[in-house]
Amino acid sequence: MLVRAQQEPQKEDRFFLYLALGTGSYLIAEAIWLYYENILQVEVPFPGVSDIFYVLQSVFFLVAFVHLIHRHVTKNRLLSFIFDIAIVMTVAVTYSWYFLIRPLFDTPFASNAEVMLAFAYPLCDIVLLFCMISIYYLFEKKEWYERRRLFQFLFAGLLLQVGADTLFVYMTTVSGDNAIRLIDPLFILGLLMVGVSGHIVSPVDSKEDRQSKQRIKVQVGKLFLPYLLVILLFLTMAFYARRDEALNGLMIGCAVTILLILVRQILMILSHQELIQEIHEKADELEVSEERYKSLFTYHPDAVYSLDLKGRIESANPSFEKLTEQHAEELVGKTYRQFTTWQQTSTDKATAQQFETVFQKSGGPDVLLNVTNIPIRVRDRFVGMYGIGQDITTIRENELKIRRLAYYDHLTGAINRTYFEEVLHHLIETEQADETIVLCFIDLDDFKLVNDSFGHHVGDQLLIQVAKRLQEAVEPDDLVARQGGDEFTVILRNVTSDDQARCRTARLLDDLKRTYAIEGIELISNPSIGAVSCRRTAGKHVVTLLKQADLAMYQAKSGGGKSIIFFEDIAEKASYRLRLESELPIAIETNQLILHYQPQVDTVTYKMVGVEGLIRWNHPELGMITPNDFIPMAEEAGMIIRLGEWVLREGFLQAKQWQDDGLNLKVGLNVSMQQFHHPTFVLTLIRLVEETKVDPTRIDLEITEVSAVEDIEETVLTMNRLKDLGFTISIDDFGTGYSSLSRLADFPIDTLKIPREFVEKIQPATTGYSMISSIIHLAKSLHLEVIAEGVETLEQVNVLNRLECSRMQGYYFGRPMPAEQIPALY
């Protein structure tokens, strides 16, 4: 029974606990009885200790069923439940009095304790009978059908106990029959059935019509039982009254009248059976609906309340009590506005409203609520308002954190690039107010040197101080953002003139040029500022504005930094660059790009042994554009990889064509640093070789010295893979970079190319002469070929011959020319 008490729902655990205590009391009493009879072998004392535990069983059972009645009987059913139980118990008490208790008065007792105990046992039977009848009347809903086996066993167990005890009392006090030992097993059987009931779980009947019939049957039986018991009582009275010759005409008339009333009541119940059933069903539905509403209202995690027409609180759930730290009784009658800052905006109170308001707590921080007010309508009449208040304080705090992570730079606290561009878009393209703004792009000139010299933590502190100085230098309506790295952007608003724009921008430059003190180190990090003015009604696109400011900043940086360049001052040059940048992808697609080839001559035979492919842009409107005008732009704009692949494909196709024509020429093709260090560079070469069917041994890949010394280990690995494919490799502009001569021997290269700058200064006793002589001797010691670039005069040819330079390239032997002119020089 205790185990079952732990398994049942919490609301009935005490019921099974009390039943277990009652059963335990009976077992203790039986144990004491057996101890006296079988061990001591003496007559069991009466009254004795065992009698106390026998009586306690009924007490515990009564407490259990009172608790069950309190749990299950609703206010609507309480009155009818009391009257039904009262009628049945009246009949039971009457029979008990007449047949059991009244005869006790004629029985001689030795002591008052015997008298009290003799009367206690019939009363205990009445208590058990009350418990048994309570089971029958208590459950009118689905509990009876879901757990009917439990109640059936409990009912039968109590019935056996009541019957056995009644027979025991009757035999010992009235009839004097000595066959009472035959009744003893009934006590144990009844107690056993009560215990077993705690372990019975009845399956629910799957057929709804069977449930419905059973429900009707049970309810009608409950209605008839009081009347049937009253009729039985009257019949008993008439029988004993006639036997005692106490029956008279008045009693007969009263009995007949009462019986007729009972019969009439029974007939009315039968005739209105369907109506009674419907009433019971409606009552059950109403009770379920009420319980559902109560559950929704009481257990809702949000604050739920109801208001009357004057905005006063009528009811509040526990969550609302917890929020206000007041009991519901204290809240009733108070105005909702006493707690919130909400001001009604809608004139129609009878419509649903949703809003956010600050809930003012007396003993703690204010709470932000998302409130939904729902009108209460009864018979199409507005009578009040339900409200649900959800605490969204944490939600809003998290949203602010997410917004800060998404829109603000975590290091400096300034807005980030994403938010900056959104605001700029809003200012330029959404709002069309008549206002002039200045967009500034700021780059710190020596920031990389600071990081390399003092560490990244010092660099981070420098960025924080730069952002702080910018915030202090601008007006409240201006905007400061960190673009990333050491780049910042500023929007200066409400600019009234060009002079004011330059003055306010100059203030940014002056503040940033001041010395920074970080961890005892004094630093100077000069900025380069590019600025562009924009009148918001001019309709300039955000992307265009950003590019203009960026171009102006790069112009300031290329001029030595520590300066401000306005795009308006370089508009013509910048426009030309912007045009080239925007039209370069089109040029690649529409074959505006071409390769010219410059001959490379063997100085022993003076025969052409190779060519270098040099890219040109034949613009349909601007004419021939030199590489110096668009190659740096392509590198900055991120198009150099695509442009380099085009050069390789065109050079491979031309080498294949000359190979098929019988011209034994090596074609040199330039590879940019970005292209060489790109992860897919080798794969691209393999793909192009397969597409063009060129012999890789006819291709010389020219790599600048700066590219070679960038990550030397990776460079050597890539060069070895190129050599395995059959390509030859040249180091272009050798001597202008920072390569270590000790690592030069590690590079699997074939040729060193002497740059034009050294050839121009080739006269003896000059630096150029010494450098060329050193490079040639170095190449010979490493068994490398040497090509001198930029040879334009006979004097240069003669000096290079004396220095035993094996190959030359320059205007003296031929300018870069279309591929069609090369065969004539072979």
Side-chain angles (χ1 to χ4, degrees):
M1 183 70 73
L2 286 172
V3 173
R4 183 61 184 174
Q6 295 174 356
Q7 295 174 344
E8 289 299 318
Q10 186 179 2
K11 66 180 182 179
E12 293 185 10
D13 56 356
R14 291 188 179 181
F15 170 72
F16 287 100
L17 175 63
Y18 294 140
L19 286 183
L21 291 175
T23 305
S25 296
Y26 189 89
L27 292 176
I28 294 172
E30 284 293 307
I32 295 173
W33 187 284
L34 292 174
Y35 176 75
Y36 276 104
E37 274 197 343
N38 299 323
I39 298 177
L40 299 181
Q41 295 184 351
V42 298
E43 185 178 354
V44 180
F46 181 84
V49 179
S50 60
D51 295 307
I52 297 175
F53 287 99
Y54 281 131
V55 173
L56 277 178
Q57 178 206 7
S58 300
V59 173
F60 281 122
F61 276 23
L62 178 63
V63 172
F65 279 90
V66 169
H67 173 76
L68 197 64
I69 291 169
H70 176 71
R71 286 289 186 183
H72 286 270
V73 178
T74 61
K75 293 182 180 179
N76 297 332
R77 294 179 51 222
L78 182 61
L79 190 61
S80 62
F81 178 81
I82 291 174
F83 271 96
D84 288 339
I85 292 292
I87 293 173
V88 175
M89 293 306 300
T90 300
V91 174
V93 170
T94 302
Y95 274 106
S96 181
W97 168 262
Y98 189 80
F99 291 105
L100 297 177
I101 299 176
R102 190 169 60 88
L104 293 176
F105 286 99
D106 299 328
T107 304
F109 292 102
S111 64
N112 291 332
E114 291 182 358
V115 174
M116 293 179 60
L117 193 60
F119 282 94
Y121 278 111
L123 291 177
C124 289
D125 293 339
I126 292 174
V127 168
L128 294 178
L129 182 64
F130 168 78
C131 297
M132 184 179 68
I133 297 302
S134 297
I135 296 175
Y136 186 61
Y137 275 96
L138 192 57
F139 298 97
E140 289 191 87
K141 299 181 293 184
K142 63 181 181 180
E143 289 91 342
W144 179 268
Y145 306 100
E146 291 176 350
R147 300 160 61 194
R148 58 180 177 274
R149 294 295 179 194
L150 183 156
F151 297 127
Q152 287 171 356
F153 270 82
L154 192 58
F155 187 88
L158 292 174
L159 182 62
L160 283 173
Q161 283 239 297
V162 172
D165 203 47
T166 301
L167 286 174
F168 178 83
V169 173
Y170 183 76
M171 290 180 181
T172 55
T173 60
V174 178
S175 66
D177 195 341
N178 292 326
I180 57 176
R181 288 192 175 276
L182 299 176
I183 304 173
D184 288 343
L186 297 180
F187 288 103
I188 302 301
L189 181 60
L191 193 66
L192 183 62
M193 294 186 73
V194 171
V196 170
S197 67
H199 295 270
I200 296 296
V201 178
S202 299
V204 182
D205 197 337
S206 59
K207 298 182 178 179
E208 294 183 0
D209 54 343
R210 188 177 300 174
Q211 274 192 351
S212 179
K213 291 178 181 179
Q214 182 70 13
R215 186 183 297 113
I216 294 173
K217 179 180 177 181
V218 171
Q219 290 178 348
V220 172
K222 292 177 182 179
L223 292 173
F224 284 161
L225 180 62
Y227 303 118
L228 294 176
L229 290 176
V230 171
I231 292 173
L232 180 62
L233 180 62
F234 270 101
L235 292 176
T236 305
M237 179 194 70
F239 175 77
Y240 280 95
R242 183 175 181 180
R243 190 180 66 176
D244 296 339
E245 296 181 356
L247 188 65
N248 55 49
L250 182 59
M251 183 178 293
I252 294 173
C254 290
V256 171
T257 303
I258 293 173
L259 285 174
L260 290 175
I261 292 173
L262 291 175
V263 172
R264 180 178 180 276
Q265 188 70 16
I266 293 173
L267 293 175
M268 288 182 63
I269 292 174
L270 292 174
S271 62
H272 295 86
Q273 181 175 330
E274 293 184 1
L275 178 61
I276 293 172
Q277 176 62 28
E278 185 178 351
I279 291 174
H280 276 277
E281 290 177 354
K282 294 296 183 183
D284 285 345
E285 292 176 4
L286 181 62
E287 186 176 343
V288 170
S289 177
E290 182 180 353
E291 289 178 357
R292 286 178 179 272
Y293 165 75
K294 185 178 179 181
S295 297
L296 177 64
F297 185 83
T298 304
Y299 303 114
H300 201 293
D302 297 331
V304 184
Y305 55 88
S306 63
L307 306 175
D308 61 14
L309 294 176
K310 294 184 179 180
R312 293 173 300 191
I313 298 174
E314 290 184 323
S315 61
N317 73 340
S319 296
F320 195 87
E321 294 178 358
K322 183 179 179 181
L323 180 68
T324 59
E325 298 177 349
Q326 298 182 42
H327 294 293
E329 294 78 8
E330 300 174 319
L331 294 171
V332 172
K334 290 186 177 181
T335 305
Y336 184 71
R337 293 183 181 178
Q338 293 179 238
F339 302 99
T340 71
T341 59
W342 171 56
Q343 299 295 327
Q344 184 174 334
T345 56
S346 174
T347 57
D348 185 7
K349 295 182 180 180
T351 59
Q353 298 172 324
Q354 190 169 27
F355 55 90
E356 292 184 7
T357 182
V358 176
F359 192 91
Q360 300 167 340
K361 295 185 69 173
S362 58
D366 293 343
V367 176
L368 184 62
L369 293 181
N370 186 323
V371 179
T372 302
N373 280 343
I374 307 167
I376 304 174
R377 293 183 178 275
V378 178
R379 296 176 181 175
D380 203 28
R381 187 168 60 90
F382 174 60
V383 297
M385 188 83 73
Y386 280 122
I388 302 175
Q390 182 185 17
D391 185 354
I392 59 172
T393 307
T394 304
I395 295 175
R396 288 292 179 265
E397 289 175 352
N398 290 336
E399 287 178 354
L400 289 175
K401 291 179 182 178
I402 293 172
R403 180 178 177 83
R404 187 160 191 86
L405 290 173
Y407 289 116
Y408 288 83
D409 178 53
H410 70 282
L411 177 64
T412 64
I415 65 174
N416 61 16
R417 178 176 181 176
T418 301
Y419 191 22
F420 175 81
E421 292 183 358
E422 286 184 10
V423 173
L424 184 61
H425 175 82
H426 179 74
L427 288 175
I428 301 301
E429 299 184 4
T430 304
E431 291 186 7
Q432 290 297 327
D434 187 7
E435 176 191 358
T436 298
I437 66 172
V438 175
L439 172 63
C440 301
F441 256 53
I442 303 171
D443 181 85
L444 303 180
D445 296 335
D446 303 318
F447 182 73
K448 186 176 185 303
L449 183 60
V450 172
N451 271 340
D452 294 342
S453 302
F454 303 105
H456 288 277
H457 65 288
V458 174
D460 290 344
Q461 292 300 316
L462 175 61
L463 293 174
I464 293 172
Q465 291 198 24
V466 168
K468 184 178 180 181
R469 288 190 184 183
L470 289 173
Q471 294 282 6
E472 294 172 349
V474 299
E475 302 296 330
D477 291 340
D478 298 338
L479 203 65
V480 175
R482 183 186 177 199
Q483 292 292 102
D486 61 341
E487 291 186 346
F488 292 83
T489 48
V490 176
I491 296 178
L492 303 177
R493 301 188 60 181
N494 302 313
V495 178
T496 57
S497 65
D498 183 64
D499 290 340
Q500 188 192 41
R502 295 179 184 272
C503 180
R504 292 177 63 181
T505 310
R507 180 183 174 187
L508 300 178
L509 180 64
D510 293 339
D511 284 355
L512 296 181
K513 286 169 65 175
R514 290 188 286 110
T515 304
Y516 298 89
I518 301 174
E519 298 183 1
I521 305 170
E522 289 191 356
L523 298 175
I524 297 177
S525 184
N526 293 312
S528 296
I529 302 179
V532 58
S533 299
C534 174
R535 194 170 188 81
R536 291 170 59 186
T537 55
K540 187 176 289 188
H541 197 272
V542 168
V543 175
T544 303
L545 197 65
L546 290 170
K547 284 187 177 182
Q548 290 176 349
D550 194 29
L551 282 173
M553 185 270 291
Y554 273 106
Q555 187 68 27
K557 199 173 186 68
S558 63
K562 296 182 286 187
S563 62
I564 302 171
I565 298 293
F566 272 79
F567 178 78
E568 290 79 1
D569 299 336
I570 59 166
E572 184 176 351
K573 183 178 180 180
S575 297
Y576 176 72
R577 186 183 186 279
L578 283 174
R579 181 177 182 181
L580 295 184
E581 182 178 333
S582 63
E583 294 184 7
L584 181 57
I586 301 174
I588 297 174
E589 297 294 336
T590 57
N591 297 321
Q592 295 180 24
L593 300 177
I594 58 175
L595 280 184
H596 282 187
Y597 299 91
Q598 188 172 32
Q600 295 173 343
V601 178
D602 187 296
T603 56
V604 177
T605 63
Y606 283 92
K607 288 185 178 182
M608 183 172 59
V609 293
V611 292
E612 180 182 359
L614 300 171
I615 191 171
R616 298 291 187 267
W617 182 355
N618 188 14
H619 195 282
E621 297 178 4
L622 302 177
M624 195 66 70
I625 303 174
T626 63
N628 291 336
D629 289 338
F630 66 89
I631 292 296
M633 177 268 297
E635 290 178 342
E636 294 172 7
M639 290 187 286
I640 194 64
I641 303 296
R642 185 180 178 189
L643 188 62
E645 184 175 340
W646 181 90
V647 170
L648 291 173
R649 177 180 282 105
E650 289 298 312
F652 285 12
L653 289 172
Q654 188 59 58
K656 173 61 175 173
Q657 180 64 45
W658 286 332
Q659 177 184 342
D660 295 341
D661 293 343
L663 275 67
N664 187 19
L665 292 176
K666 176 82 72 172
V667 178
L669 299 173
N670 289 285
V671 177
S672 69
M673 182 168 64
Q674 295 181 31
Q675 190 178 11
F676 179 77
H677 290 287
H678 196 274
T680 62
F681 176 59
V682 176
L683 295 177
T684 300
L685 289 174
I686 295 173
R687 174 170 53 82
L688 292 176
V689 168
E690 292 176 353
E691 290 177 4
T692 60
K693 310 299 182 183
V694 71
D695 181 3
T697 60
R698 293 180 176 269
I699 304 298
D700 183 64
L701 300 176
E702 298 185 8
I703 301 167
T704 62
E705 185 180 9
V706 176
S707 300
V709 298
E710 181 78 18
D711 195 347
I712 294 178
E713 285 73 15
E714 180 188 351
T715 297
V716 172
L717 180 62
T718 302
M719 286 183 174
N720 282 320
R721 295 180 66 186
L722 298 179
K723 295 289 289 183
D724 292 339
L725 293 173
F727 295 101
T728 58
I729 302 173
S730 297
I731 298 296
D732 197 10
D733 295 333
F734 182 76
T736 60
Y738 304 95
S739 63
S740 171
L741 295 179
S742 63
R743 296 304 304 268
L744 184 61
D746 297 332
F747 294 145
I749 59 177
D750 302 280
T751 306
L752 295 179
K753 298 192 73 173
I754 301 173
R756 180 191 307 273
E757 294 85 349
F758 295 164
V759 174
E760 289 176 349
K761 304 173 182 179
I762 200 172
Q763 293 80 9
T766 61
T767 304
Y769 183 89
S770 301
M771 286 296 297
I772 292 173
S773 177
S774 299
I775 293 173
I776 292 174
H777 282 90
L778 175 64
K780 286 182 177 182
S781 66
L782 296 175
H783 307 288
L784 301 177
E785 296 286 345
V786 177
I787 299 178
E789 294 184 303
V791 179
E792 299 181 357
T793 65
L794 179 59
E795 181 183 2
Q796 293 171 345
V797 172
N798 292 332
V799 174
L800 289 170
N801 279 329
R802 286 198 300 270
L803 294 174
E804 298 180 355
C805 179
S806 57
R807 296 183 184 181
M808 301 179 196
Q809 173 185 342
Y811 288 173
Y812 183 81
F813 302 100
R815 291 177 175 271
M817 62 189 70
E820 296 80 11
Q821 299 179 15
I822 292 297
L825 300 177
Y826 182 71

